[in-house]
Amino acid sequence: EKEILVRAELPGNNCGGCGFAGCDALAKAIALGQAPVGACPVGGAPVAEKIGAIMGVSAEAAEKKVAFVKCKGTCDKTRVQYNYTGIADCRKVSVVPGAGEKSCAYGCMGYGSCVKACQFDAIHIVVDKEKCVACGKCTEACPLGLIELVPYKAEHLVQCNSHDKGKDVKAKCDNGCIGCSLCTKQCEFDAIHMDNNLAVIDYEKCTNCGKCAAKCPSKIIK
């Protein structure tokens, strides 16, 4: 009975963002106590509260997350190595020599696999935070691992994914992280570090003070 009642409260998108095969599978898992009442990223807190009442437990919805594209290398900022003519699909283009037109091997290829994968019309050139439900379909669709799920409240994010050294980055893109580490020296909360020439933010520690963004010479901390 509880499984039926829980399923009736779930939105029915069957997006898989909860980690289960769909709303039916999630309803069963919640009824069996194998998933939290706030596991549905689409329903959020309102649905978690209703399901919590059914299950007789506290309705603590998971922290809202949204997708973030770790690249600021737009067509006017990155170098082109050749002109590609073929199927517009990132996964297919990733296996051709050079992995597409852009010279940066870490950047967004721009063929829209993530856009096609999104059922909520939440991703185009950038992600619409209000439409995104953190289902994870875009992250799965990106062959370069450029898209990650970050806390909705995160106000500072590094818009680059390149691990090249600074000189090589600038030769390929005007908007890349050059690994200067100036941002890490500004942070009083130990929330940003260098990982193989790339600045990485720890969202658990970040207080959104903005000092790292202010000091970044490439202006790639959003």
Side-chain angles (χ1 to χ4, degrees), residues 77-220:
K77 297 297 182 180
T78 187
R79 313 293 178 265
V80 174
Q81 55 185 346
Y82 60 79
N83 293 320
Y84 171 79
T85 301
I87 300 173
D89 183 278
C90 299
R91 288 163 294 191
K92 290 181 171 60
V93 178
S94 66
V95 299
V96 304
E101 297 175 288
K102 295 181 179 179
S103 57
C104 177
Y106 300 92
C108 176
M109 293 183 284
Y111 298 109
S113 291
C114 56
V115 177
K116 297 168 189 173
C118 183
Q119 301 176 31
F120 305 94
D121 191 39
I123 184 169
H124 292 283
I125 296 176
V126 295
V127 175
D128 186 327
K129 291 177 65 174
E130 304 310 318
K131 290 183 178 181
C132 180
V133 301
C135 69
K137 294 296 183 182
C138 59
T139 64
E140 295 173 5
C142 180
L144 299 181
L146 268 175
I147 307 174
E148 67 175 338
L149 298 179
V150 301
Y152 176 87
K153 296 180 180 179
E155 296 177 9
H156 294 87
L157 307 105
V158 180
Q159 293 180 286
C160 185
N161 192 47
S162 177
H163 291 286
D164 285 343
K165 293 183 178 180
K167 181 180 179 181
D168 296 327
V169 170
K170 298 304 288 184
K172 299 173 182 177
C173 179
D174 295 332
N175 285 342
C177 175
I178 58 176
C180 67
S181 76
L182 285 175
C183 55
T184 66
K185 298 172 184 176
Q186 310 307 309
C187 186
E188 301 172 11
F189 306 96
D190 192 39
I192 186 165
H193 299 92
M194 301 305 299
D195 178 13
N196 192 15
N197 301 316
L198 178 66
V200 178
I201 294 176
D202 183 338
Y203 303 112
E204 296 294 328
K205 295 181 178 179
C206 181
T207 63
N208 291 315
C209 69
K211 291 183 179 180
C212 59
K215 198 66 176 179
C216 177
S218 299
K219 301 304 177 186
I220 51 94

Side-chain angles (χ1 to χ4, degrees), residues 23-36:
C23 293
D24 288 348
L26 176 59
K28 183 176 182 178
I30 292 175
L32 292 173
Q34 298 173 352

